[in-house]
């Protein structure tokens, strides 16, 4: 018996706390049994009663977010406590954070409960307390060093293209890549069934579904739910889930590891990210275009007056001298009337020392931009010239989608064959109809078959709708409808239609301006119009600079 038990006649009650750091240790049963054996032997030698046992499989000791730990603390703090002493293999099993270690040790002590380490026995004198604090401080230091080295190894693993664990993003699945000793290295590959949902979301965000123009986050989530397209877990889509898919660089082939702090969840600097190459589900061009569109509609980056205000060029008009935005300025004329003009914001804010930019009457610049778009860009022959290369790329896209359709139909056929084999096994008496696993397996295969068929039909319909080559006739209809939209001053969407055709206007002088746009965005305007019926589609798109790689939209003599 212990000294306490000898004097009081009451046996000391001990709570055994056992912990391992990783789920793999807990699964393989490496450390918990050994800790239990040693703790029980220690209590038996002391004459203590093992009154309770708390096991923590696969939880770190750097914080107190541990279910079994909290249950133990709760039992220790009731009055009277459920036990007299907490027994651990070493102080590092209890905590690897010096501050929290002392915090909980003192909480236990206030209720008469001691902490004992069987490998680091210390007394209650000041010297022992100091030694305990030094040990816990060293445990914290060692934990941080281990974490640093582990993170470095995981970052290098990601750079080599291997998956570090956790659940993969929707649209991907984990596969074994190679064997290195006893360790299996894994990579991500595209899951054909789920990947098509991702492609559908991007397509709707960029060009719409053929019935309407590009969709916002809420509209996409609503359309997915209306069409009974479920999440990977079978749930309904929300705005945040759609936003995550449209902003995750993984889908264009670059998965970012170590992008956020695992404790604070705050973003880390890009210099600390490890880029892992994965098979892309969407092109980088489409990914960048979606990000630009979301940014243009985000009030944190683009004020509402820019994205939805009445002024035609607000947000896309810039000073050719300094690059600053051209903003609205008003004044009164000699006859008492008010006039409006675009003025360099840098000059207005700092003065001539900041920029020598000019002011341009608003109506004059608006009309000049509209006139140029009508007479030069919206000429069907010029549109066809601009579209030639992108039409070839769209045909490649259609071929890829046809390949995806074949793969999904193959997957549906495979699931159907497995279902038939299950039914035959039941009919032949090889499988009992009341087998508890049968119902879940049938439901799983039926879900795979139905989802694959639905996705194949949806993709096939989109290919059939977009595959035909844009003709001179469809371009002419598009140009006519676009001119009408741009001249309609009563339409609330006039400025949005302009942004489907041009994304930046640079004022060089009072008589000259440069108009910049994107060929890709122009093709999307055509696609969202259903191949030419731009008036019906209301094609409203986001914007992204650089219409041409080297020339602006004003064709030089050598280009004509």
């Amino acid at each position: 018996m212990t000294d306490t038990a000898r004097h009081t006649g009451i046996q000391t009650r001990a709570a055994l706390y056992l912990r391992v750091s990783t789920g793999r240790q807990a699964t393989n049963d490496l450390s918990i049994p050994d800790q239990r054996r040693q703790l029980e032997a220690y209590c038996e030698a002391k004459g203590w009663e093992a009154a309770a046992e708390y096991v923590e499989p696969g939880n770190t000791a750097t914080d107190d977010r541990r279910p079994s730990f909290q249950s133990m603390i709760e039992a220790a703090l009731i009055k009277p406590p459920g036990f007299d002493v907490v027994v651990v293999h070493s102080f590092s099993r209890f905590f690897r954070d010096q501050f929290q270690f002392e915090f909980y040790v003192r909480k236990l002590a206030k209720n008469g409960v001691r902490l004992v380490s069987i490998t680091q026995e210390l007394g209650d004198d000041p010297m022992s307390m100091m030694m305990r604090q030094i040990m816990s401080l060293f445990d914290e230091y060692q934990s941080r060093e281990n974490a640093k080295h582990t993170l470095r190894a995981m970052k290098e693993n990601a750079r080599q293209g291997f998956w570090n664990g956790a659940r993969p993003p929707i649209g991907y699945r984990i596969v074994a890549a190679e064997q290195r000793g006893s360790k299996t290295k894994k990579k991500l590959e595209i899951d054909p069934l789920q990947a098509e949902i991702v492609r559908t979301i991007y397509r709707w965000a960029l060009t719409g579904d053929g019935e309407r123009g590009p969709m916002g986050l809420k509209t996409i989530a609503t359309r997915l739910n209306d069409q009974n397209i479920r999440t990977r877990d079978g749930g309904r889509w929300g705005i945040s889930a759609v936003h995550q898919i449209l902003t995750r660089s993984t889908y264009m082939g670059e998965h970012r590891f170590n992008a956020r702090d695992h404790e604070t969840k705050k973003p880390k600097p890009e210099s600390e990210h490890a880029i892992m190459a994965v098979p892309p589900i969407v092109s980088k061009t489409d990914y960048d275009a979606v990000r630009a569109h979301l940014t243009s509609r985000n009030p944190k980056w683009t004020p509402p007056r820019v994205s939805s205000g009445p002024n035609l060029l607000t947000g896309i008009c810039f000073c050719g001298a300094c690059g600053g935005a051209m903003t609205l300025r008003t004044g009164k004329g000699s006859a008492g009337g008010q006039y409006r003009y675009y003025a360099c914001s840098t000059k207005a804010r700092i003065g001539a020392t900041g920029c020598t930019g000019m002011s341009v009457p608003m109506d004059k610049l608006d009309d000049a931009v509209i006139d140029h778009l009508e007479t030069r860009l919206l000429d069907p022959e010029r549109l066809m010239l601009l579209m030639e290369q992108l039409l070839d790329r769209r045909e490649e896209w259609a071929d890829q989608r046809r390949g995806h359709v074949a793969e999904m139909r193959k997957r549906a056929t495979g699931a159907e064959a497995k279902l038939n084999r299950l039914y035959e096994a039941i009919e032949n008496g090889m499988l009992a109809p009341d087998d508890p696993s049968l119902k879940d397996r049938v439901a799983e295969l039926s879900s795979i078959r139905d989802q694959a068929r639905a996705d194949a039909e949806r993709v096939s319909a989109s290919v059939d709708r977009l595959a035909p080559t844009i003709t001179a006739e469809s371009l002419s209809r598009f140009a006519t409808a676009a001119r009408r939209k741009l001249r309609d001053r009563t339409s609330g969407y006039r400025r949005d239609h302009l942004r489907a055709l041009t994304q930046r206007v640079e004022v060089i002088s009072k008589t000259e301006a440069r108009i910049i746009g994107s060929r890709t965005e122009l093709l999307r305007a055509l696609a969202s119009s259903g191949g030419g019926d731009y008036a019906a589609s209301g094609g409203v798109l986001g914007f992204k600079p650089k219409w041409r790689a080297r020339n602006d939209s004003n064709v030089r003599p050598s280009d004509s």
Side-chain angles (χ1 to χ4, degrees), residues 284-488:
K284 187 176 187 305
T285 301
D286 287 348
Y287 172 80
D288 290 340
V290 167
R291 290 298 301 267
H293 178 66
L294 292 176
T295 300
S296 71
R297 298 297 178 183
N298 189 341
K300 290 183 179 180
W301 307 106
T302 306
R305 67 178 182 277
V306 172
S307 59
S308 59
N311 300 326
L312 189 64
L313 302 180
T314 298
I316 64 170
C317 185
F318 298 90
C319 174
C322 70
M326 298 283 283
T327 56
L328 172 65
R329 291 290 183 271
T330 60
K332 292 185 177 180
S334 57
Q338 189 177 61
Y339 60 89
R340 298 155 61 87
Y341 55 93
Y342 294 109
C344 175
S345 59
T346 304
K347 182 177 181 180
R349 188 175 66 255
I350 302 176
T353 56
C355 179
T356 58
M358 72 297 296
S359 300
V360 180
M362 179 175 289
D363 291 340
K364 181 179 178 181
L365 183 58
D366 289 350
D367 290 342
V369 170
I370 295 298
D371 288 341
H372 178 81
L373 293 177
E374 282 191 353
T375 57
R376 303 306 299 268
L377 175 63
L378 294 177
D379 176 68
E381 293 183 3
R382 174 155 171 75
L383 282 175
M384 182 62 79
L385 183 65
L386 289 170
M387 292 297 100
E388 284 179 352
Q389 294 180 352
L390 290 176
L391 290 174
D392 292 339
R393 287 171 51 190
R394 192 180 66 169
E395 189 58 37
E396 292 177 9
W397 171 89
D399 290 340
Q400 291 176 354
R401 291 299 183 273
R402 293 187 186 101
H404 295 151
V405 169
E407 189 173 357
M408 284 182 286
R409 285 177 175 163
K410 181 179 178 181
R411 185 166 184 173
T413 302
E416 179 72 17
K418 290 178 181 178
L419 280 170
N420 290 333
R421 287 196 292 269
L422 281 177
Y423 298 146
E424 289 176 3
I426 295 173
E427 291 175 356
N428 296 331
M430 300 172 61
L431 188 64
D434 57 351
D435 188 320
S437 63
L438 180 61
K439 182 179 179 181
D440 292 340
R441 182 57 175 161
V442 169
E444 179 187 2
L445 290 173
S446 298
S447 176
I448 292 174
R449 178 198 61 192
D450 296 343
Q451 186 71 61
R453 285 176 176 174
D455 286 340
E457 291 303 319
R458 183 168 54 252
V459 177
S460 180
S462 69
V463 171
D464 292 341
R465 184 172 63 249
L466 297 177
T469 303
I470 293 176
T471 63
E473 183 182 356
S474 65
L475 284 175
S476 179
R477 292 199 307 270
F478 172 85
T480 301
R483 291 192 191 98
R484 186 169 64 252
K485 291 285 186 180
L486 292 175
R487 286 298 180 186
D488 185 4

Side-chain angles (χ1 to χ4, degrees), residues 19 22 85 98 162 185 202 208 216 224 232 243 352 355 514:
R19 185 188 65 80
T22 66
V85 61
Q98 199 269 339
F162 297 111
K185 308 290 282 187
Y202 271 84
L224 289 169
R232 179 167 47 188
H243 181 268
C355 179
R514 180 184 296 114

Side-chain angles (χ1 to χ4, degrees), residues 158 161 163 169 172 188 202 247-257 259 270 273-284 287-288 291:
W163 186 246
Y172 291 94
L188 292 185
Y202 271 84
T247 56
R248 195 164 193 169
S249 63
T250 307
Y251 295 113
M252 59 96 169
E254 295 181 0
H255 178 77
R256 293 180 177 270
F257 176 75
E270 286 203 18
H273 297 182
I275 306 299
M276 171 184 168
V278 298
I281 293 179
V282 300
S283 69
K284 187 176 187 305
Y287 172 80
D288 290 340
R291 290 298 301 267

Side-chain angles (χ1 to χ4, degrees), residues 88-260:
V88 295
H89 183 269
S90 65
F91 290 133
S92 65
R93 299 298 90 191
F94 188 73
F95 250 111
R96 283 184 177 268
D97 181 283
Q98 199 269 339
F99 174 80
Q100 295 210 62
F101 180 96
E102 287 299 320
F103 173 77
Y104 277 101
V105 165
R106 295 184 184 189
K107 285 188 71 172
L108 293 174
K110 284 183 179 180
N111 206 38
V113 179
R114 294 185 298 127
L115 175 68
V116 173
S117 165
I118 67 172
T119 58
Q120 300 163 311
E121 290 196 73
L122 298 172
D124 296 326
D125 58 282
M127 178 63 73
S128 296
M129 293 178 63
M130 184 182 71
M131 289 299 299
R132 186 186 67 204
Q133 291 173 357
I134 291 174
M135 288 177 182
S136 64
L137 191 62
F138 180 77
D139 285 338
E140 179 180 347
Y141 166 77
Q142 189 178 44
S143 176
R144 293 183 182 275
E145 283 295 298
N146 290 341
K148 183 174 67 176
H149 296 315
T150 300
L151 179 60
R152 184 167 60 241
M154 293 177 75
K155 288 172 68 174
E156 180 58 31
N157 192 59
R159 292 190 187 99
Q160 293 181 17
F162 297 111
W163 186 246
N164 279 314
R167 197 177 192 191
I170 183 173
Y172 291 94
R173 59 192 177 197
I174 302 173
V175 294
E178 61 181 74
Q179 194 75 24
R180 294 186 182 178
S182 60
K183 189 176 182 64
T184 302
K185 308 290 282 187
K186 298 178 180 179
K187 288 189 174 184
L188 292 185
E189 73 171 14
I190 294 176
D191 182 338
L193 191 62
Q194 298 294 331
E196 197 51 46
I197 297 176
V198 175
R199 295 189 185 101
T200 297
I201 291 173
Y202 271 84
R203 184 172 68 251
W204 287 352
L206 289 170
T207 61
D209 59 356
E211 298 177 1
R212 65 180 73 185
M215 303 179 187
L217 300 177
K218 186 176 181 180
T219 304
I220 291 174
T222 301
R223 180 57 63 91
L224 289 169
N225 293 327
D226 289 345
Q227 294 190 9
N228 201 32
I229 300 174
R230 298 298 181 180
T231 64
R232 179 167 47 188
D233 299 323
R236 293 176 64 81
W237 288 89
I239 292 175
S240 61
V242 175
H243 181 268
Q244 186 178 45
I245 286 178
L246 293 177
T247 56
R248 195 164 193 169
S249 63
T250 307
Y251 295 113
M252 59 96 169
E254 295 181 0
H255 178 77
R256 293 180 177 270
F257 176 75
N258 195 44
R260 289 183 177 273

Side-chain angles (χ1 to χ4, degrees), residues 477-522:
R477 292 199 307 270
F478 172 85
T480 301
R483 291 192 191 98
R484 186 169 64 252
K485 291 285 186 180
L486 292 175
R487 286 298 180 186
D488 185 4
R489 297 180 180 272
T490 63
S491 171
Y493 295 101
R494 182 183 182 225
R495 64 195 307 282
D496 295 308
H497 292 296
L498 180 138
R499 281 160 170 71
L501 304 174
T502 184
Q503 288 82 56
R504 186 180 179 93
V505 177
E506 295 179 357
V507 179
I508 300 174
S509 68
K510 289 185 178 297
T511 58
E512 184 180 4
R514 180 184 296 114
I515 301 175
I516 303 172
S518 166
R519 288 185 181 183
T520 304
E521 294 297 340
L522 187 55

